[in-house]
Amino acid sequence: MKRIRGIILLFLFIGLMINYADKSVSGYASIAIMKEFKLSAPQWGVVGSSFFWLFSLAAIVGGALSDKIGSKKMLTILLLAWTVLQLGAFAITGLTGLILYRILLGMFEGPSAPAMYSHVSKWFPKEQQGRALSILNIGAQIGAFLYAPIVVHLIHNFGWRFSFASFGVFSLLWVLFWIPFGKDKPVETKKPNLNISIQPKLKSSEIVKLVFSRNSIPSILALFACFWYVVWLLVWMPQYLVKVIHLSSQQMGYSVLSIGLCSMIISYAICTYSDILYKKSGDSRKSRVNLSIITMLSAGAMLTSILFIHSTVWVIVTIAFASGFVNVFLALGPQLLMSFSPERSGLMASLGTSFMNSAGIIGPIVTGYLIQSAGKGNVEMGHNYFIFSIIALLVVASILLLVFVHPDERVIKMAQENDQGINIV
C-alpha cells in the first residue's frame, strides 16, 4: 500500500507541476507577448484574468463530477485537454486568440486541483494528508517557479509559442503513463473515524449550509487572500523583477528559481511540522489553523518591508519567504475544508479552490490599472499599491481565522449526534 501511495502521489505531483507551469508560462512570456501584440498594462491584466473567468465554475462542476465518475477518469480528461490547447498555441495571432486560449485552458485546469485533493483524501490517512498536500504544493511551486530559467531560455531562443507547446507534450506523456499505472482508490478502504451517513444526492440547501458555516467562510476567504498574492507572482512578478528591480531576463529566471526553492523548503517544513502537531495532539485548531495564522501574518509583515527597503537581495528574499508562508495555508486550507464534510470532500475542495481562484479574475486587472494610473515613469508605485492590498487581505483573513474557525468543535458535535442516531449530511 505504501508503495502504491508513493506512485499515486508522484503522478499527482507531476500533474500539479504541469498545471502551475501552464498558469505561469504566460507571465514569463509577458514582455515578449506585449511587445508583439502591442498590449498595454490593463490589456495584459485582462489576459491574466481571462484564465480564471471559467476556472471557478469549472472547479465546482468538475469537483462534483470527479466525485461521480472518479478522479482518475477526471484527471485523464483534463490533461488531454491541456495537451490540445497548449499545442494549439501556434495558432494564436492576436489578443482575441490569446484571451480565448487562456479562457479554455483555465476552464480545463479548474477541476484539476480539487480532483487531486480528493484523490489524496482517498489514499492517505488524515494524519498524513498535510504532508501529502504539501508535497503536491511543492509540485505547484516547481511548475510556477523552478522551470523559470528553462522557460526564459525557450522563449529567448525559440519563441513564446514553442514554450507553451512544450508543456502540451508533458501533459500527453503524463496521460500515457497515468492510464495504465494510476489507481482511482485503494482496493480495501478503511472505515472513517466517524459514523457519518453518506447521501447519494446533493441538495442545494446542503451546499448553502456547507458554504456559509462558521468554519467554511473564513477558510475560503483566507484561501482567497493567499491566492491574491500568488496571482501577482504568476502574472506580474516577472515584469516586476525586470522593470522595477531592473534585472535582465536571465537574472529574472534564476531569481524566480531561487524564490521557488526557498518557498518550497519553507512550506514543506511548516506543513510537516503541522502533521507532527496533529499526530501528537489530534487538535486541528492548534496544528492547522493557528499555524496558518502565524505564517500569513509573517508573510504580511515581510511584504510590508519591501515598501520601504529597496535592496534587490532583500526584495527577492522577502518574496521567497512570503511565498513559502502563504503556500502553507494553500496546502492546509483545502484539507481543513474537506474535514468539515468528509463525505463531500471533492465538493468542499472545489468550493475552496474555485472561490480562491476568483482572485485570479480580479487581481491581474486591478494590478494593470494600478500600474497605468501610476504613470509610465512610476511602475513601482503601481505594484506597491497592489502589494499593500495583499498585506491588508492577509491581516483580515488571519483575524477571521483566529476568531471564527474551530474545526474540532464540529467534529465533537458530529460524534455526539451520531451517538444519538442522527444522520449528518
Side-chain angles (χ1 to χ4, degrees):
M1 178 66 75
K2 186 176 181 180
R3 177 175 172 273
I4 298 175
R5 281 178 183 162
I7 293 172
I8 293 297
L9 191 59
L10 178 61
F11 269 114
L12 299 180
F13 176 92
I14 296 173
L16 202 59
M17 183 174 67
I18 296 170
N19 180 299
Y20 270 77
D22 288 345
K23 281 187 179 78
S24 60
V25 66
S26 62
Y28 302 127
S30 59
I31 294 175
I33 294 174
M34 290 178 73
K35 183 178 180 181
E36 179 178 338
F37 296 148
K38 298 179 175 59
L39 305 180
S40 65
Q43 285 176 317
W44 180 250
V46 171
V47 172
S49 168
S50 64
F51 180 90
F52 297 96
W53 290 354
L54 295 179
F55 193 104
S56 298
L57 177 62
I60 294 175
V61 174
L65 183 61
S66 175
D67 287 341
K68 183 177 181 179
I69 68 173
S71 44
K72 179 181 177 178
K73 288 181 182 178
M74 192 68 192
L75 290 170
T76 303
I77 294 169
L78 295 175
L79 272 91
L80 280 174
W82 304 354
T83 299
V84 173
L85 289 167
Q86 292 291 58
L87 292 175
F90 289 106
I92 299 172
T93 58
L95 177 60
T96 302
L98 181 63
I99 290 175
L100 179 61
Y101 152 78
R102 294 297 287 176
I103 291 173
L104 291 174
L105 186 62
M107 182 178 73
F108 282 102
E109 291 203 355
S112 59
M116 291 179 186
Y117 295 149
S118 179
H119 211 73
V120 167
S121 71
K122 296 174 186 176
W123 280 94
F124 290 85
K126 190 172 181 180
E127 65 271 13
Q128 295 179 18
Q129 288 177 15
R131 186 177 301 178
L133 290 174
S134 71
I135 291 173
L136 284 191
N137 208 39
I138 289 174
Q141 292 176 71
I142 290 175
F145 301 124
L146 268 66
Y147 276 148
I150 298 173
V151 172
V152 169
H153 175 78
L154 291 175
I155 293 169
H156 181 75
N157 291 282
F158 302 101
W160 60 269
R161 292 176 179 85
F162 183 89
S163 68
F164 283 26
S166 66
F167 291 107
V169 176
F170 292 151
S171 300
L172 180 59
L173 290 173
W174 188 92
V175 170
L176 292 176
F177 283 96
W178 173 250
I179 291 174
F181 298 112
K183 304 290 183 183
D184 200 32
K185 58 184 177 181
V187 176
E188 296 181 0
T189 56
K190 295 181 179 180
K191 294 181 179 180
N193 292 331
L194 298 175
N195 185 25
I196 303 172
S197 62
I198 301 175
Q199 303 297 325
K201 294 183 180 180
L202 185 66
K203 299 178 182 178
S204 58
S205 59
E206 294 180 72
I207 298 177
V208 172
K209 184 178 180 181
L210 290 172
V211 173
F212 291 97
S213 71
R214 190 182 77 172
N215 284 322
S216 294
I217 290 178
S219 301
I220 291 171
L221 291 175
L223 285 170
F224 178 93
C226 290
F227 203 67
W228 188 255
Y229 176 53
V230 171
V231 167
W232 180 79
L233 295 177
L234 295 175
V235 178
W236 289 103
M237 182 183 67
Q239 285 196 44
Y240 176 81
L241 294 176
V242 171
K243 294 187 175 182
V244 176
I245 308 302
H246 305 298
L247 302 180
S248 67
S249 294
Q250 288 76 18
Q251 289 173 328
M252 177 270 288
Y254 286 109
S255 296
V256 172
L257 171 64
S258 301
I259 289 169
L261 284 171
C262 183
S263 176
M264 282 188 339
I265 293 169
I266 291 170
S267 61
Y268 179 75
I270 296 175
C271 286
T272 300
Y273 178 63
S274 173
D275 273 356
I276 293 171
L277 280 180
Y278 182 81
K279 191 173 182 179
K280 287 183 177 179
S281 65
D283 187 340
S284 296
R285 169 74 184 188
K286 179 180 178 181
S287 60
R288 310 299 194 199
V289 180
N290 291 350
L291 202 58
S292 297
I293 292 169
I294 293 170
T295 55
M296 288 167 63
L297 289 176
S298 298
M302 293 201 72
L303 288 172
T304 301
S305 70
I306 65 173
L307 299 177
F308 307 100
I309 303 173
H310 302 107
S311 163
T312 299
V313 173
W314 179 250
V315 168
I316 293 172
V317 169
T318 296
I319 292 174
F321 272 77
S323 176
F325 291 146
V326 160
N327 274 296
V328 170
F329 193 72
L330 292 179
L332 299 181
Q335 183 184 355
L336 270 177
L337 285 169
M338 289 188 290
S339 73
F340 301 154
S341 181
E343 71 279 10
R344 302 292 187 188
S345 60
L347 176 64
M348 292 303 294
S350 66
L351 287 172
T353 55
S354 61
F355 189 81
M356 170 185 86
N357 283 292
S358 65
I361 299 175
I362 307 167
I365 296 176
V366 170
T367 309
Y369 278 102
L370 288 174
I371 291 171
Q372 186 178 61
S373 65
K376 290 185 178 180
N378 205 2
V379 176
E380 180 180 359
M381 183 61 69
H383 281 287
N384 283 347
Y385 287 148
F386 191 78
I387 290 170
F388 181 79
S389 74
I390 297 169
I391 297 165
L393 284 172
L394 289 173
V395 171
V396 171
S398 298
I399 293 171
L400 291 175
L401 287 177
L402 178 65
V403 174
F404 293 107
V405 179
H406 297 272
D408 300 305
E409 290 180 3
R410 180 182 185 277
V411 172
I412 293 170
K413 183 179 178 181
M414 290 169 65
Q416 290 173 343
E417 290 178 341
N418 273 283
D419 287 341
Q420 297 170 6
I422 299 176
N423 291 333
I424 305 298
V425 175

